[in-house]
Amino acid sequence: MKMERQNNSNFMGRLANSDVGKFLRQAFTKEKERSGFDSEEYNDDGPEPEYGGKDHREIYTKDGTVNRFGKLALKGKSGGWKAAALVLVNQGLATLGFFGVGVNLVLFLTRVIQQSNASAANDVSKWTGTVYIFSLVGAFLSDSYWGRYRTCSVFQVIFTVGLVLLSLTSYLFLIKPAGCGSATVNCEKASTVELIVFYMSIYLIALGYGGYQPNIATFGADQFDEMDEVEGASKVAFFSWFYLAMNLGQLFSNSIIGYFENIGNWVFGFWMSAGSAALALIIFLVGTPYYRHFRPGGNPIPRVAQVFVAAFRKWNVRSPSDGEKLYELQDKASAISGSRKITHSEEFRFLDKAATETEKDVISGERNNPWRLCTVTQVEEVKCILRMLPIWLCTIIYSVVFTQMASLFVEQGAAMQNNVGRFQVPPASMSIIDILSVAAWILLYRRAIVPFVYRITNDPKGLTELQRMGGGLILGMLGMISAGVVEQYRLKFVSEPHGKSSMSIFWQTPQYFFIGASEVFMYVGQLEFFNGQAPDGLKSFGSALSMTSISFGNYVSSLLVSIVMDITKRENQPGWIPGNLNRGHMDRFYYLLAALTAVDFVAYVMCARWYRCIVVSKDTEEGEELAERI
């Protein structure tokens, strides 16, 4: 039967390429145009052509994406930059809403809630860390059950509700008397109930934005068919434009919204953030008919557990050295829904025991029991995760560096001269320099560095993701050294113990510039790396890994600040980061971070040299299987 189907397939292929086939296709096209037959209606209601057939190659995407009705996605009617542009606008507006709160949260806590500098910095780090921990929740629901579109929609609603609640809470309870919360007017102390409502609102924002963020990045990349040469190149470029859109959203929030909040108009700033989030949700929903979707692959936790259980059950079985002899399904489909097959790799050979077929498996019928026998693809899915973990761990220290921009950089700027004539520069708005640096480096990288490296390496990607992430660590280290030097000189120009330094806030420009450049190399590289190296059934999880790196970075930063304060605080010494920075030595903390980043870079280079890329399989037109490195 198999030979008969193959002969029939070859015959139909020859017929389709013959003059008769061409004549029939032309006749069908003319009839379709004459009758007004729409190909999208055919895709939604009629039978699909055989996957991999000629009609499929010309009309449908090759990566298995579907439309909202669950049918194979049409190339001309879905996805591409038309759909991706809506995702980019949505991301920009959602980021505007998020950072309209996040960029000045440390000042809100000190001026309105009346916390100390160290406590406020720690609270911001914990809150930001929680945002990115929630990304794992969103990624799990997306990859397992809901799919990326539904997950993005639900969490954006939660995000908007949190912003509205924060705006109402601030207006009704916290900003008392009216106009308080500026640098000169303090607010009344809030009650316990009011504080509970406040923290509930900001953690709703954390849940909504955190659950949405990893999925929107992957969902935007889903709009491009990586099996298509043109769309595949667009998919690589998408992550750079995605990060640029996110930073443009920050640009507006850090400048316009940040200005109003800095002068005490917190309620207006929060309502602007809520309105931006609501508009982002509407724009996202408008694009519903044009999106491409990947089907969720089911709960990955049992799949991972099955590999370890099956391997331990066969701990005394010797697995074959030839990966071709390990168990795998013989047809084109993978055992994991919505995923392509992954070829065997040499790392973590103990797990190969899970895919080693024994006589007992055949005789007792255990072949269909994944707790006893797993496919190579299922084993390799686990191996992919294990290979990425050391790289992920090495990115946490960079996130410790990055998070200082939202806390200590702002506190440092608040202790410097920020007048430009009669205008006062809000300390948080200095992050505009970071955003402009990000935009400039993205354009420079895409337009100059990639073509230059391509001429040398013949790789259209330019630098690899791992090389870019290493460059990001070096630039982040330079940012910390720059911040330390500025802090040293800031202390020299302090005339009054409790006054501001006469040193201009614009001396912070180099440290923001270095951090912006490092983001382009580290975080854009991270998005591409974890999304590209994650198995098909765990793409959102891959994007969430880059976000949980930021999360753990914030937690480590909070822990590090507490440890440093405990060690450096003596009877006559207030510690390195006291409430009055003029009595501290924050420069030493910056140099400590630079030293930790240098050590981390050495460990990262070792892990990057050991890492081996995922290799997936695809079927050619003739049915042969080729390994494609991605």
Side-chain angles (χ1 to χ4, degrees), residues 88-103:
L88 293 177
V89 174
N90 167 267
Q91 170 64 11
L93 289 170
T95 303
L96 189 157
F98 176 74
F99 282 97
V101 174
V103 73

Side-chain angles (χ1 to χ4, degrees), residues 124-201:
V124 170
S125 293
K126 292 173 185 176
W127 177 77
T128 308
T130 304
V131 170
Y132 298 119
I133 280 292
F134 282 139
S135 68
L136 290 174
V137 177
F140 174 78
L141 291 172
S142 170
D143 287 336
S144 303
Y145 305 111
W146 288 359
R148 287 184 265 280
Y149 172 80
R150 183 182 298 179
T151 306
C152 286
S153 301
V154 170
F155 280 101
Q156 281 189 83
V157 171
I158 296 172
F159 175 52
T160 305
V161 170
L163 284 168
V164 171
L165 182 60
L166 175 63
S167 304
L168 289 172
T169 303
S170 300
Y171 174 70
L172 295 175
F173 307 121
L174 301 178
I175 309 299
K176 301 293 181 181
C180 71
S182 63
T184 56
V185 182
N186 290 325
C187 296
E188 297 175 2
K189 192 170 181 62
S191 68
T192 302
V193 174
E194 290 167 351
L195 288 177
I196 289 173
V197 177
F198 164 72
Y199 280 109
M200 183 188 304
S201 65

Side-chain angles (χ1 to χ4, degrees), residues 340-372:
R340 292 167 294 179
K341 290 181 179 179
I342 309 174
T343 61
H344 176 258
S345 63
E346 296 299 323
E347 293 80 22
F348 307 107
R349 289 300 300 268
F350 173 78
L351 296 178
D352 288 346
K353 296 177 184 293
T356 302
E357 193 172 14
T358 64
E359 292 184 8
K360 182 179 178 181
D361 295 328
V362 178
I363 296 172
S364 62
E366 293 281 352
R367 281 182 117 190
N368 296 324
N369 180 6
W371 294 97
R372 175 78 188 181

Side-chain angles (χ1 to χ4, degrees), residues 520-573:
V520 173
F521 285 86
M522 173 57 79
Y523 282 144
V524 177
Q526 263 190 339
L527 277 173
E528 292 183 24
F529 176 78
F530 288 121
N531 185 274
Q533 294 300 308
D536 290 338
L538 294 172
K539 289 294 184 185
S540 293
F541 172 77
S543 295
L545 274 180
S546 62
M547 297 188 67
T548 51
S549 164
I550 302 175
S551 172
F552 277 83
N554 279 273
Y555 289 131
V556 171
S557 174
S558 178
L559 178 63
L560 196 58
V561 168
S562 298
I563 293 174
V564 165
M565 287 299 291
D566 287 341
I567 294 175
T568 60
K569 194 173 183 179
R570 296 287 184 268
E571 196 170 308
N572 298 322
Q573 298 293 330

Side-chain angles (χ1 to χ4, degrees), residues 39-107:
S39 60
E40 188 168 11
E41 292 178 2
Y42 171 80
N43 183 54
D44 294 341
D45 303 324
E48 299 175 7
E50 182 183 354
Y51 190 90
K54 185 173 179 59
D55 288 337
H56 174 269
R57 294 196 307 274
E58 293 180 348
I59 300 174
Y60 296 100
T61 56
K62 303 175 184 177
D63 59 357
T65 49
V66 298
N67 62 17
R68 56 181 170 151
F69 301 105
K71 302 291 185 179
L72 292 176
L74 286 158
K75 276 189 176 180
K77 298 288 185 177
S78 66
W81 282 111
K82 179 172 65 174
L86 293 173
V87 172
L88 293 177
V89 174
N90 167 267
Q91 170 64 11
L93 289 170
T95 303
L96 189 157
F98 176 74
F99 282 97
V101 174
V103 73
N104 269 326
L105 184 58
V106 67
L107 296 183

Side-chain angles (χ1 to χ4, degrees), residues 501-523:
S501 171
S502 60
M503 189 175 180
S504 171
I505 194 173
F506 289 105
W507 282 103
Q508 285 188 307
T509 298
Q511 64 202 61
Y512 280 103
F513 175 82
F514 279 122
I515 295 298
S518 69
E519 286 180 67
V520 173
F521 285 86
M522 173 57 79
Y523 282 144

